[in-house]
Amino acid sequence: MSRRTLAQILAVAGARYLIAPARADDNPSEADVSREAILRDPATPTTGNPKGDLTIVVFFDYNCPYCKQSEPELMRLVKTDGRIRLVYKDWPILTEASIKGAQWALAAKYQDRYDEAHYAMMAIPGAKIPAERMREAIAKAGVDMDRLDADLQTHAGEITALLRRNLAQADSLGLQGTPAYIVGQYRVTSALNYEGFKRVAADARAHAAKN
């Protein structure tokens, strides 16, 4: 699925994929793509140290095997470093099931279970994972599925708007695929291991110290 296809789905917001109807005045091209919005959108899920001295933004898809490969390495850095604020940008560009996975994860945030839903889907190996398997993984992770479905209905407009912003921000950065990371002033567009993440984090801090 191309980014154009995703944009069309988000624009139409058909009932098969998204619950929230698009508003006539809701133009994705007008989304805030400033650096501050990318780093600190209040609706975007975050983890790590909220007062950390370095923010890492990750654009990912639940059907991206490279995202899944690098996820444990990135989380290892976040935990061992202790001074990193990690920002999750759900960017479901690979399959239609990816969109459902992103919706469910973002809906789980309203019961403070985004991390559980996120890790459950990222732990499923491979690509082209069907939506049903993603949903089963979320349920096994302890997410209240009745509450999730209710929150998806109630907050559909907010979830749709967030996915549109993520898409617009990725486009503004010239990103071509997942995974993609913004580490301070640096952009990384490939999966890294722990040492790779550690090195780019150190470079980002060194750059910040000089400016």
Side-chain angles (χ1 to χ4, degrees):
M1 182 175 69
S2 67
R3 285 184 296 176
R4 177 175 295 179
T5 301
L6 171 60
Q8 291 171 342
I9 291 173
L10 292 177
V12 173
R16 181 180 174 189
Y17 304 110
L18 296 167
I19 297 171
R23 302 191 308 269
D25 60 347
D26 190 3
N27 186 349
S29 66
E30 297 177 357
D32 190 346
V33 296
S34 67
R35 179 172 178 81
E36 182 65 16
I38 293 171
L39 294 180
R40 302 194 179 277
D41 186 328
T44 304
T46 63
T47 193
N49 186 342
K51 297 182 179 180
D53 65 347
L54 177 65
T55 294
I56 296 178
V57 181
V58 52
F59 288 82
F60 66 93
D61 185 299
Y62 289 116
N63 268 307
C64 169
Y66 303 106
C67 301
K68 297 175 183 181
Q69 173 186 323
S70 63
E71 172 90 356
E73 306 294 302
L74 176 57
M75 292 311 302
R76 178 185 170 193
L77 176 69
V78 171
K79 291 177 181 178
T80 58
D81 182 283
R83 295 180 295 136
I84 292 174
R85 174 177 171 269
L86 182 61
V87 177
Y88 292 116
K89 294 288 185 178
D90 289 83
W91 189 33
I93 58 173
L94 296 178
T95 73
E96 295 170 4
S98 298
I99 299 175
K100 292 303 299 183
Q103 286 181 282
W104 286 327
L106 293 171
K109 183 169 71 75
Y110 294 96
Q111 56 176 287
D112 295 323
R113 292 291 183 271
Y114 176 87
D115 285 354
E116 287 82 351
H118 173 83
Y119 297 144
M121 287 186 283
M122 291 296 275
I124 303 173
K128 296 184 179 179
I129 308 302
E132 294 78 10
R133 189 174 177 192
M134 292 183 186
R135 187 175 174 88
E136 290 172 0
I138 295 171
K140 289 180 180 178
V143 176
D144 182 332
M145 301 307 289
D146 290 337
R147 167 80 185 273
L148 182 141
D149 290 337
D151 283 335
L152 184 56
Q153 290 279 352
T154 301
H155 301 285
E158 300 160 47
I159 292 170
T160 301
L162 178 56
L163 290 174
R164 288 182 180 136
R165 289 199 299 278
N166 291 351
L167 174 61
Q169 290 167 2
D171 283 343
S172 76
L173 293 167
L175 302 182
Q176 298 298 312
T178 56
Y181 307 92
I182 307 302
V183 187
Q185 297 296 320
Y186 296 101
R187 182 178 63 179
V188 180
T189 55
S190 61
L192 297 178
N193 59 19
Y194 172 75
E195 292 300 328
F197 281 122
K198 186 176 180 179
R199 184 164 51 252
V200 73
D203 289 345
R205 284 181 170 128
H207 182 277
K210 294 178 182 178
N211 295 278

